Amino acid sequence: MNILQLVPRLNVGGVEKGTVEVARALVAKGHKAVVVSGGGIYEGNLAAIGARHYTVPVGKKNPITMIWSYICLRRIIRKESIDIVHARSRIPALMGYFAAKSTGKVFLTTAHGQYKPHLISRVMGWGKIVIVANDTMARYMKDKFGVPTRKLSIIPRGVDLERFGYVSPFDKDRKKFRVGMICRYTPLKGHQDFLKAMSYVSRRMNNLEIVIMGDRASAKEDYLKRVDLTVRRLRLENVIRFIDSSHDVAEVLKDLDVFVSANRSQEAFGRSIIEAQARGVPVVATRVGGVVENVEDGVTGLLCEPMNPSDIAEKVMRYAQDRELVERVSRAARKNVEDHFSLGKVMESTLEVYSKALSMKNILIMKISSLGDIILAVPSMRAVRKAFPGAEIKVLADIRFREVLSGCPYIDDVITCDFRTRDKGVGFLRLAGAIRSEDLDMSIDLQNSRKSHMLAYLAAIPERYGFNNGKLSVLLNRKAKMPARPMPPVRQQGCVLALLGIAHVDDNLELWPTPENEEWAEKFFGGNWLQKDQKIVAMSVSASRKWRSKNVGVPTLVKVADMLAKERGVRTVLIGAEEDKLEASEFMKTTLAKPIDAVGKTNIGQFIALIKRCDIVVTGDSAPMHVASAVNTPFVSYFGPTDPARHLPPSGKKKVLHRKVKCSPCYDPICRRDRRCMTSIKPADIYNAVMELL
């Protein structure tokens, strides 16, 4: 594996240490480790272990600098044949994400802090896998950034147990009682709270020595002035020692009697805490964020309230006065580190995540239109699952038809769209952003519309498959030629799937009505006095509001229903959507039979179960035909403005009525002539077709 890690700089800090540790583990296992940063003291460490470093200002927010950094990252990715781009900070992640996507590489993130959920921070949730240090951070990324559980991988920070070997608290020089903190110089770390606490302690102990380690060179000057002023005001100049980041942390910890973490806000992990615990140094830590997962109060350390110097001081004094507590906490903390934070285990888990990310495939199948079209896409979903058994497969579908795929064993999730309301205008861009956050590897566009092509492109999906149909297909980068002649819908989809190496698509349709919906259908018919052995024929009263040209007309269907009832005792059930109630009302007023009116009275699941319960379905070129095929109910369908060669679903039992006239198929929703393609289909034709199937 060739792994590129991105950090703003390589100065002292937990993120930077982790970057070097991962690079060392990669090189030791024979992989390539590359790091891009703005430079820093750890550059030499990388060179010593055989890793490569490139100095690029990836931590700068200047737009021109960011564009330059993006260009540099693309070059480095190609030059080093990078497989995975692993970002550990927000600004580098933003450039790394687009560089990875534009070169077709895997993008991962490690969320080191509880970022405020503004626009730039959201990139930390866009990784194919988002690494977090503990459950606290996992919950935070889920709640604040909407990162799904399946994308989260919990890997704690690690400690080199040999370098940070255990030192008994009672093997130290007792002439001084040393209390220290090791962290960056920033207000969040609580330096002033720590100093005030040490002022309280100094009044009760005459041998106190305070140690603060951190990189003053990279700190903001105003904050350093405040820290130094606090030291002077509290008259701690003679008992405090500042240590810069060039010193060995393990050696500094060796001489401490107590380690304090005085964080004021939600600390994500607290790497220096577990390093102190490994070294046998009793810890006092504020009760914030993920720290409570590393420090069990009274067992592996002592917890205190944030921004409460007197509480910090009280806990430090407890260690100073209770040797038994020190011994017990010291040993329990070391064992906890050995069990959960061993560097070897952590690095092994990290490399496993890299391997998993490379083997994972996140696939989006796009079918954003009608109910029937989604049903016709099921064979393609089945074929994709067979070709990619370990992939995460999602379907983008209209929100109205999500239930159609309930129970589908070939997909993992449905992403919904609603171009009537939610996803219009600016909502379209929000939808693209939501799809982008899924970190998809490929899209299979079975809709092949301008909208679907644009969504795949705006979502930065690296491999975008579809037909070269002139409908913004320039936005695709994997294109199939449009068939020269009409072909059945499933076979046509197979032309796109062939680009993925899928040679054959079984055209059998499937749906999965729930037992609850099937029970509803039985009760529905029973409540309408359907006799036990009586045959039931479903009639679709209208194709759709848009496609009036597909209808044979209510009078024709009424005559068929009357003939079936009079001559064969067959009962009819009217099916359709809420918008078809006018036609249903006309039907009920003019028929001599006693049909059951189910128009607008079912949800999608009930509609599917109802059709499954029927003996025959009579319909135009619309959704009931596809549902019938999928649940193995025989159907009679009539075609005119559309071509059955392109739209007829596969089925074991069907009768197709198609009168070929000069202007057919016209694909015009409103007939401009005399509707002869439909009026030439007589009630007797439909009746005879039904009787043949019965």
Side-chain angles (χ1 to χ4, degrees):
M1 297 183 292
N2 298 340
I3 311 298
L4 169 61
Q5 296 182 83
L6 301 177
V7 288
R9 289 189 61 80
L10 276 174
N11 291 322
V12 68
V15 177
E16 293 79 0
K17 286 182 182 178
T19 302
V20 175
E21 288 167 351
V22 169
R24 182 182 291 109
L26 285 166
V27 173
K29 293 290 185 179
H31 304 296
K32 180 188 285 188
V34 180
V35 176
V36 171
S37 79
I41 61 173
Y42 284 144
E43 284 187 55
N45 299 60
L46 290 172
I49 61 177
R52 298 185 183 181
H53 178 266
Y54 289 86
T55 302
V56 179
V58 290
K60 301 294 184 181
K61 297 180 182 179
N62 180 283
I64 296 175
T65 305
M66 291 176 72
I67 293 171
W68 168 248
S69 296
Y70 162 77
I71 294 170
C72 292
L73 286 177
R74 282 172 51 94
R75 291 173 180 168
I76 293 168
I77 289 169
R78 291 194 173 104
K79 178 182 176 181
E80 299 289 353
S81 302
I82 296 299
D83 301 309
I84 293 175
V85 177
H86 181 182
R88 294 175 170 272
S89 185
R90 288 169 290 179
I91 300 302
L94 199 59
M95 290 167 279
Y97 174 80
F98 290 106
K101 288 299 179 182
S102 64
T103 53
K105 306 305 177 184
V106 174
F107 178 73
L108 302 185
T109 59
T110 294
H112 288 280
Q114 295 193 359
Y115 320 108
K116 292 181 180 179
H118 53 65
L119 185 62
I120 293 177
S121 297
R122 294 195 176 279
V123 70
M124 299 308 290
W126 292 356
K128 177 177 280 190
I129 296 175
V130 178
I131 300 172
V132 291
N134 47 38
D135 290 330
T136 299
M137 273 302 298
R139 287 192 298 271
Y140 188 84
M141 294 303 290
K142 284 167 61 179
D143 295 343
K144 298 296 184 181
F145 293 88
V147 179
T149 303
R150 56 178 173 74
K151 286 180 63 173
L152 291 164
S153 181
I154 298 177
I155 303 177
R157 310 290 179 261
V159 178
D160 185 339
L161 297 177
E162 291 186 8
R163 180 171 165 237
F164 288 84
Y166 180 76
V167 178
S168 171
F170 307 114
D171 291 343
K172 299 179 182 180
D173 175 14
R174 301 303 297 177
K175 294 178 182 178
K176 295 286 188 180
F177 187 81
R178 295 184 179 88
V179 182
M181 64 186 300
I182 301 173
C183 57
R184 290 179 292 111
Y185 282 95
T186 172
L188 297 177
K189 297 299 183 180
H191 288 85
Q192 289 170 295
D193 298 331
F194 171 68
L195 291 171
K196 290 175 185 177
M198 292 304 97
S199 175
Y200 300 154
V201 173
S202 68
R203 298 169 195 169
R204 301 166 66 180
M205 300 183 67
N206 56 16
N207 64 335
L208 175 68
E209 182 174 277
I210 306 166
V211 177
I212 296 181
M213 180 178 180
D215 183 18
R216 292 176 67 94
S218 62
K220 291 184 178 179
E221 188 176 346
D222 286 347
Y223 184 64
L224 288 178
K225 287 180 179 178
R226 275 189 281 161
V227 170
D228 293 340
L229 180 59
T230 302
V231 171
R232 292 194 297 273
R233 282 177 176 172
L234 297 174
R235 299 182 179 180
L236 298 174
E237 301 99 313
N238 296 328
V239 294
I240 193 166
R241 182 158 52 100
F242 290 98
I243 301 175
D244 66 38
S245 55
S246 63
H247 286 70
D248 186 349
V249 174
E251 286 302 308
V252 173
L253 286 169
K254 179 182 177 182
D255 293 331
L256 294 184
D257 293 284
V258 177
F259 176 86
V260 175
S261 173
N263 284 284
R264 289 185 158 193
S265 63
Q266 299 301 316
E267 174 75 10
F269 183 79
R271 184 189 186 99
S272 57
I273 292 174
I274 60 171
E275 290 177 341
Q277 289 175 327
R279 213 57 170 134
V281 182
V283 170
V284 174
T286 48
R287 199 187 303 270
V288 292
V291 170
V292 297
E293 295 187 43
N294 300 344
V295 180
E296 185 180 353
D297 194 21
V299 179
T300 60
L302 295 177
L303 293 174
C304 58
E305 296 308 311
M307 294 183 286
N308 190 333
S310 63
D311 196 12
I312 296 173
E314 191 272 329
K315 297 303 191 307
V316 171
M317 289 306 301
R318 281 186 60 184
Y319 284 133
Q321 297 166 353
D322 191 341
R323 290 173 61 87
E324 184 181 342
L325 174 66
V326 170
E327 178 74 16
R328 185 176 72 251
V329 166
S330 173
R331 293 194 178 280
R334 170 68 187 194
K335 185 168 190 315
N336 184 54
V337 174
E338 291 174 347
D339 291 344
H340 300 103
F341 305 113
S342 161
L343 183 61
K345 293 178 182 178
V346 169
M347 291 302 104
E348 186 178 324
S349 298
T350 303
L351 266 59
E352 285 176 1
V353 164
Y354 287 154
S355 297
K356 178 183 176 182
L358 285 174
S359 64
M360 285 171 60
K361 277 287 185 184
N362 291 343
I363 301 172
L364 180 67
I365 298 173
M366 309 178 79
K367 200 63 178 173
I368 60 177
S369 59
S370 66
L371 170 59
D373 283 348
I374 293 174
I375 296 170
L376 287 169
V378 168
S380 294
M381 299 175 199
R382 186 171 56 234
V384 172
R385 170 58 71 197
K386 185 176 180 181
F388 301 95
E392 184 87 9
I393 301 175
K394 297 180 177 65
V395 173
L396 179 67
D398 191 297
I399 193 169
R400 294 170 294 175
F401 309 124
R402 176 175 186 154
E403 193 178 352
V404 177
L405 296 173
S406 177
C408 177
Y410 312 121
I411 65 173
D412 297 287
D413 197 7
V414 177
I415 302 172
T416 61
C417 56
D418 186 354
F419 297 118
R420 297 170 303 163
T421 55
R422 184 189 70 192
D423 300 322
K424 291 172 65 176
V426 177
F428 188 85
L429 298 178
R430 284 197 296 266
L431 175 61
I435 296 172
R436 183 174 61 247
S437 68
E438 296 287 342
D439 199 71
L440 297 154
D441 297 294
M442 67 171 72
S443 61
I444 303 171
D445 193 342
L446 302 182
Q447 189 66 40
N448 286 292
S449 67
R450 291 179 177 86
K451 284 181 181 176
S452 56
H453 292 339
M454 285 178 66
L455 278 174
Y457 181 79
L458 292 173
I461 301 173
E463 298 177 33
R464 303 181 295 278
Y465 293 84
F467 276 118
N468 188 7
N469 58 4
K471 298 178 180 180
L472 290 182
S473 51
V474 67
L475 301 179
L476 302 174
N477 52 16
R478 308 286 192 277
K479 304 174 192 178
K481 291 183 178 180
M482 287 295 296
R485 296 179 179 179
M487 63 172 58
V490 177
R491 279 185 56 197
Q492 181 165 313
Q493 294 170 17
C495 298
V496 174
L497 299 187
L499 299 175
L500 288 88
I502 299 174
H504 174 71
V505 181
D506 176 9
D507 62 4
N508 181 50
L509 301 186
E510 294 179 80
L511 283 174
W512 307 269
T514 65
E516 292 78 11
N517 285 328
E518 291 187 314
E519 183 180 352
W520 174 89
E522 288 293 338
K523 289 181 178 179
F524 177 78
F525 283 127
N528 283 278
W529 305 288
L530 182 69
Q531 297 177 16
K532 185 176 180 181
D533 297 323
Q534 190 175 22
K535 298 292 185 182
I536 184 78
V537 172
M539 284 191 180
S540 177
V541 295
S542 177
S544 72
R545 283 284 170 201
K546 179 181 177 182
W547 282 91
R548 292 299 187 187
S549 60
K550 290 182 179 181
N551 298 328
V552 293
V554 170
T556 296
L557 294 177
V558 167
K559 290 178 182 178
V560 175
D562 289 347
M563 293 168 66
L564 288 170
K566 181 180 179 180
E567 299 181 24
R568 297 293 179 176
V570 174
R571 194 85 180 271
T572 300
V573 58
L574 307 184
I575 56 175
E578 185 77 22
E579 63 187 23
D580 302 322
K581 282 194 170 184
L582 188 63
E583 286 82 357
S585 177
E586 179 187 347
F587 194 113
M588 297 297 287
K589 289 177 182 177
T590 55
T591 181
L592 298 175
K594 295 181 179 180
I596 301 169
D597 184 6
V599 174
K601 298 178 180 179
T602 61
N603 58 36
I604 287 179
Q606 294 166 346
F607 180 72
I608 292 169
L610 186 147
I611 287 182
K612 183 179 180 181
R613 172 64 181 77
C614 292
D615 296 287
I616 304 285
V617 174
V618 175
T619 177
D621 176 15
S622 60
M625 175 178 66
H626 303 101
V627 174
S629 178
V631 296
N632 297 314
T633 298
F635 63 89
V636 174
S637 61
Y638 34 84
F639 283 79
T642 56
D643 188 350
R646 289 180 58 186
H647 304 287
L648 189 67
S651 175
K653 293 186 73 176
K654 60 180 177 287
K655 298 291 290 185
V656 180
L657 303 175
H658 183 212
R659 301 291 183 261
K660 294 184 179 181
V661 296
K662 188 175 182 180
C663 57
S664 175
C666 64
Y667 285 91
D668 194 335
I670 301 174
C671 183
R672 311 295 176 181
R673 299 190 179 187
D674 54 8
R675 296 186 68 250
R676 69 179 64 182
C677 62
M678 302 306 290
T679 56
S680 61
I681 298 173
K682 304 300 181 183
D685 299 327
I686 299 174
Y687 172 81
N688 290 333
V690 170
M691 295 313 302
E692 284 186 45
L693 291 176
L694 282 176

